Amino acid sequence: MNIPIDKVQEAALEIMRRAAIEIPPDYREGIKALQKKETGKLPRFVIHAMQDNWDAADEDRRPMCADTGLPRYYVKVGNNASVENGFVAVERALRHATAECTVTIPLRPNRVHPLWRTDHNNNVGINAPEVEWSFEPDMDWIDITTVHKGGLFGSDYRMLFPGDGIDGIKRFLLDTLIAFGKRGLACQPAIVGIGLGGSKDTCMQLGKQAACLRTVGDRNPDPKVAELELELMQLGNSIGMGAMGFVGSGMVVDCHIECGYTHTGGMPISVHTFCLSSRRSTARVHASGEIEYRTDPQWFTPYLRRETVEW
Amino acid sequence: MVNNNGNDGNDGNEDDIKVFHLNLPAKREDIAKLELGSAVYLNGIVYTAREGIYKRVLDEGMELPVDLKSLSNVNFHCSPAAAPDGDGGYNVGAVTATASFRFSKWIPRWIEKTDCRILIGKGGMPAEDYKKVLAPGGAIYLTTVGYGTGALLGRGIKRVREVHWLDDLGIAQAMWLFEVENFGPFIVESDLDGNSLFAQHAEVINEGIEKLYAGLKPPALHRYGETDNRRNEVM
């Protein structure tokens, strides 16, 4: 059965709106937990104001942050799914949804040409919005997730080497969190995503996905990686820095690590912070045309983390 | 309960953060009362100006499209998530700030040209700018909170009074004039003596940094121009 393309379009419009306006419940709870332990007076004030802001956004149906980021879609296709007019039509629907939502929500038109600064006021342009694709065996739905990740600060990459080891990872994480945490440029407390391995571009992609597509409290299925996630979260929260770089204790809401097999001579790492306005929303469009709205993207599944020839 | 331009004292919810309400254009004596780390709400007219405007007015010598001196002395480094409302006006959804320190080179001339007395934005200015430029010019810096309180700030915008150079510069870079009411919260980052709240807090945090790095040796390969001194500011 073909998934109707107008349902895909409808879902894309709605998740753009939800992502911009409604803070995901897992993040809200994560911040609450962090807030209880926050030692700094000013960070507590900031977090309190942010919570007021989430409520105001929801009540007024207006975006929680005006830097509505660079809209981006993650599309996960069930292997048995088919869409009316095919997947080019899906990409087309996502482009249209981006342009329409930029006006109707409204989102800030952030997207410009890097050289000519051309601005169509609709967040659409060359290679924009980005659409990343992945697959899920057996299913007949497609999942569309949008992430509005703002900002120029809070992400960094470094080629480490095997000899740098876990200490090198810790050091780079501290380097990044301290540099971008000062003056609150990372808009912390944030979900921190770490990409380990892959090639340089994959490393960046994995880290961003780790930050934006996993829910607070979710742990990597590899127990040793899961342990490292908790250790790095604690390390980030021991810097002595809270919201906006003020003296405090709450820098990291959660830490997610995603790994990719990498070059034998290297250990690339990327760090990404998903800010105080962590914005993501998912719609699962079933073969029947029914749309199921979710706040957990379920992007990382065993299929995506497969390690051997047999899977 | 709320006195204009006065300290309302503790607001109850927020530990002991002081709250001020300021009428615009801001008077020097009112600005002088603001204390580092206190919260501020604004009433009056606030405008946006960022690189697009600074370039035109200060680098290219174009005339300001509006007489700022008589209207407003508050420059907000932001662009709104806004769209035409179909009735000739604009629907402003949310506003949040953009990083201010990248405008540093334009600020001395901007203050001189416009009599700007309050800069609002994200991240503050380089600490020496407060001493050398803002404070001598009678100006201070307020930081937005979080920095994502876009819906709260959006609520404070009662009307778009004017927008200039929209066609040429786009929504993000145009000059917007907002009529605001109870617009905030903002936090006082610098005062008329040129002190910086961020710098003060960074000093305290820096004291603990060596301990954090103890035992973590630098990476095998350095990057060009890299420093090991984490006490350095980002800007």
Side-chain angles (χ1 to χ4, degrees):
Chain A
M1 192 158 52
N2 268 339
I3 295 171
I5 192 67
D6 62 339
K7 287 293 170 184
V8 173
Q9 173 91 22
E10 181 188 331
L13 290 169
E14 182 59 21
I15 57 172
M16 288 293 269
R17 182 172 306 281
R18 290 184 187 216
I21 296 172
E22 299 169 9
I23 195 79
D26 60 284
Y27 186 77
R28 189 187 269 273
E29 290 307 310
I31 280 285
K32 255 193 213 163
L34 200 72
Q35 184 187 26
K36 285 193 189 124
K37 292 185 283 183
E38 177 55 75
T39 55
K41 184 175 78 170
L42 279 165
R44 280 202 301 271
F45 173 80
V46 173
I47 290 175
H48 196 278
M50 285 307 299
Q51 289 164 332
D52 287 348
N53 183 62
W54 295 336
D55 294 339
D58 206 11
E59 283 163 29
D60 296 1
R61 305 306 293 168
R62 63 168 94 224
M64 57 183 117
C65 177
D67 187 347
T68 49
L70 301 175
R72 184 189 198 95
Y73 293 97
Y74 295 88
V75 184
K76 190 164 199 181
V77 182
N79 191 45
N80 304 335
S82 61
V83 182
E84 179 189 0
N85 301 333
F87 292 105
V88 169
V90 172
E91 287 210 337
R92 189 170 186 275
L94 299 180
R95 268 176 112 78
H96 275 273
T98 303
E100 189 175 331
C101 287
T102 301
V103 176
T104 55
I105 293 177
L107 304 177
R108 194 169 74 189
N110 277 335
R111 293 274 196 182
V112 299
H113 190 285
L115 286 172
W116 326 129
R117 315 309 289 184
T118 322
D119 188 348
H120 303 296
N121 286 328
N122 65 5
N123 281 314
V124 169
I126 302 168
N127 279 315
E130 292 101 341
V131 182
E132 285 186 42
W133 296 85
S134 81
F135 305 98
E136 187 67 24
D138 304 325
M139 302 303 168
D140 62 357
W141 40 248
I142 70 170
D143 271 0
I144 307 168
T145 298
T146 188
V147 169
H148 301 184
K149 187 178 182 304
L152 311 173
F153 305 104
S155 302
D156 203 0
Y157 165 87
R158 176 154 203 156
M159 175 58 80
L160 294 173
F161 296 94
D164 290 320
I166 301 243
D167 278 355
I169 292 170
K170 287 182 182 169
R171 189 176 170 113
F172 181 67
L173 178 69
L174 286 175
D175 285 353
T176 308
L177 293 184
I178 289 170
F180 291 129
K182 281 191 177 157
R183 296 165 177 266
L185 294 177
C187 295
Q188 71 269 19
I191 302 174
V192 173
I194 297 177
L196 283 182
S199 53
K200 187 172 190 173
D201 52 344
T202 309
C203 183
M204 285 301 280
Q205 252 176 327
L206 281 175
K208 183 161 183 169
Q209 292 173 2
C212 301
L213 299 178
R214 282 176 53 188
T215 53
V216 175
D218 175 43
R219 294 272 70 83
N220 190 291
D222 179 334
K224 280 191 277 188
V225 174
E227 204 178 308
L228 187 59
E229 288 178 340
L230 292 172
E231 194 183 339
L232 294 184
M233 174 161 66
Q234 204 179 7
L235 182 67
N237 286 332
S238 68
I239 294 172
M241 198 187 300
M244 292 183 74
F246 295 132
V247 174
S249 57
M251 178 86 197
V252 182
V253 180
D254 203 352
C255 178
H256 298 142
I257 300 174
E258 289 300 324
C259 299
Y261 272 38
T262 191
H263 193 290
T264 183
M267 188 175 65
I269 177 173
S270 70
V271 171
H272 306 251
T273 53
F274 199 24
C275 65
L276 260 170
S277 297
S278 280
R279 288 157 294 176
R280 63 169 133 76
S281 186
T282 301
R284 177 164 292 177
V285 189
H286 292 275
S288 61
E290 183 213 343
I291 305 170
E292 180 193 343
Y293 292 103
R294 315 174 61 100
T295 56
D296 55 333
Q298 300 193 338
W299 178 260
F300 291 101
T301 58
Y303 178 74
L304 210 65
R305 288 167 170 145
R306 61 204 186 278
E307 196 168 8
T308 64
V309 179
E310 299 303 326
W311 39 268
Chain B
M1 185 191 93
V2 174
N3 298 316
N4 286 327
N5 302 333
N7 175 15
D8 302 331
N10 301 346
D11 98 340
N13 296 323
E14 313 294 356
D15 295 324
D16 48 354
I17 302 273
K18 278 189 183 171
V19 180
F20 292 87
H21 293 259
L22 203 58
N23 281 334
L24 306 176
K27 295 196 195 89
R28 186 180 172 93
E29 63 263 33
D30 295 328
I31 292 176
K33 287 179 196 156
L34 305 179
E35 298 166 29
L36 288 192
S38 51
V40 180
Y41 292 82
L42 305 175
N43 294 295
I45 298 169
V46 167
Y47 65 86
T48 70
R50 48 190 293 175
E51 51 266 78
I53 301 290
Y54 293 149
K55 269 188 197 163
R56 287 199 153 194
V57 175
L58 300 175
D59 297 347
E60 293 161 22
M62 287 177 73
E63 283 300 310
L64 273 168
V66 56
D67 179 22
L68 285 179
K69 284 190 180 183
S70 67
L71 271 181
S72 170
N73 55 9
V74 183
N75 179 181
F76 192 178
H77 291 147
C78 85
S79 15
D85 66 4
D87 290 326
Y90 296 89
N91 171 20
V92 177
V95 280
T96 36
T98 194
S100 294
F101 45 82
R102 67 180 192 266
F103 307 132
S104 178
K105 63 175 177 180
W106 286 299
I107 298 304
R109 282 181 290 154
W110 187 255
I111 288 179
E112 193 172 310
K113 187 168 186 77
T114 63
D115 289 345
C116 171
R117 292 292 175 261
I118 297 180
L119 288 169
I120 308 177
K122 169 177 179 173
M125 308 295 296
E128 64 266 28
D129 283 15
Y130 297 133
K131 295 276 187 209
K132 288 184 185 154
V133 179
L134 270 74
I140 60 155
Y141 188 95
L142 302 179
T143 171
T144 51
V145 173
Y147 294 96
T149 45
L152 289 179
L153 295 178
R155 271 187 178 178
I157 294 179
K158 292 304 154 195
R159 200 168 76 87
V160 173
R161 183 189 169 100
E162 295 165 36
V163 53
H164 297 279
W165 289 335
L166 183 63
D167 290 344
D168 327 31
L169 294 178
I171 286 172
Q173 295 282 341
M175 178 181 270
W176 296 81
L177 275 79
F178 301 127
E179 288 176 13
V180 301
E181 204 177 288
N182 209 24
F183 189 48
F186 303 103
I187 295 176
V188 181
E189 141 70 354
S190 84
D191 58 20
L192 287 180
D193 294 325
N195 298 306
S196 163
L197 180 69
F198 281 134
Q200 291 177 1
H201 278 250
E203 261 177 51
V204 175
I205 291 160
N206 282 342
E207 281 166 20
I209 284 183
E210 266 80 29
K211 213 168 62 192
L212 275 174
Y213 277 86
L216 302 179
K217 56 183 184 352
L221 190 67
H222 277 246
R223 294 193 280 207
Y224 181 75
E226 187 171 43
T227 167
D228 280 344
N229 184 1
R230 296 297 147 213
R231 291 168 175 264
N232 287 354
E233 278 273 43
V234 276
M235 52 192 77

